[in-house]
Amino acid sequence: MPAAEETCTSAILSALASGTVQVHDLTAPLSDRTPTLVLPDPFSNLIDFSLEEVSAYNEPGPYWKHHNIHTGEHIGTHIDAPIHWISGRGGKDVSQIDPQRLVGPAVVLDFRSLAADDPDVLIDVHHLETWQSEYGRFPSNAWLLFRTGWEQYGDDRTAFLNVDATGSHTPGFTAECARYIAEKLDISGIGVETVGIDSGNAGALEPPFPMHYFLLGADKYGITSLKNLDKLPVFGAMLVVAPLPIVGGTGAPTRVLALAPQNTKKMEAQS
Ligand code: MN
């Protein structure tokens, strides 16, 4: 095609070059301080992320520095693939997720006021129905990104996991809401600010961990530990989700980027 022809991708590239589209990184830094989900006894836990030095411009490698990485799959900002859950055991591993589903419209839902009053709050179907009646329908292939304010605890493992003698207290979803998202909405997945896509107390729900159960069983995907959602408009951003394609992997640390118009007023409803 002629070089001067305007295409949809050239329009995006022009907007990136001029700064009218900004790229926001929604990914938490990955280090040995990254908060990791802690399952209660008798369940087994993943290892934390760590770097192991192999050389550092020294005798084992005089001109270079490199590390081995040690990590669980579900550490930091990461994606859950269908085979992570028993309901999706016949489904895709993380390397098999269609790239077309990893790029799509971001919709940002702000439920900070609910979570501020109650860290155990469960978002329910009626919250999503009220939200849609106010703001509009979710676009096809969307990623629903839930703001709960939990990002503010991302540098403090204790506050982020919020565990006491009665378990973990972080916001999530009712089983009915998880089923509604999985079965009624034409979306690719959800993203949350917390350490997991279910609430801290979701082991006591029926089924246990219902967002995992319904979402992953319906070939939809979940992303955790997102940050910078305050940089995005309610509608109009494009999400780019880039997990490591680990063959047989049930999930993977994931870089999550969002392209958003520079001048969009934050968190305002579409007129
Ligand atoms: Mn996970």
Side-chain angles (χ1 to χ4, degrees), residues 74 78 80 84 212:
H74 300 258
H78 73 272
D80 287 353
H84 178 42
H212 285 86

Side-chain angles (χ1 to χ4, degrees), residues 104-112 131-132 134-139 142-147 228-239 258-261 263-271:
V107 182
V108 181
L109 300 89
D110 188 351
F111 288 115
R112 283 177 300 161
W131 193 96
Q132 290 172 89
E134 185 175 349
Y135 292 95
R137 310 296 296 181
F138 303 126
W143 285 85
L144 306 185
L145 308 181
F146 291 89
R147 286 186 79 188
N228 292 329
L229 297 182
D230 62 315
K231 307 280 201 300
L232 305 184
V234 174
F235 289 102
M238 181 171 80
L239 203 68
L259 281 64
N263 293 323
T264 307
K265 289 181 181 170
K266 292 171 190 171
M267 301 307 298
E268 276 192 3
Q270 278 191 329
S271 54

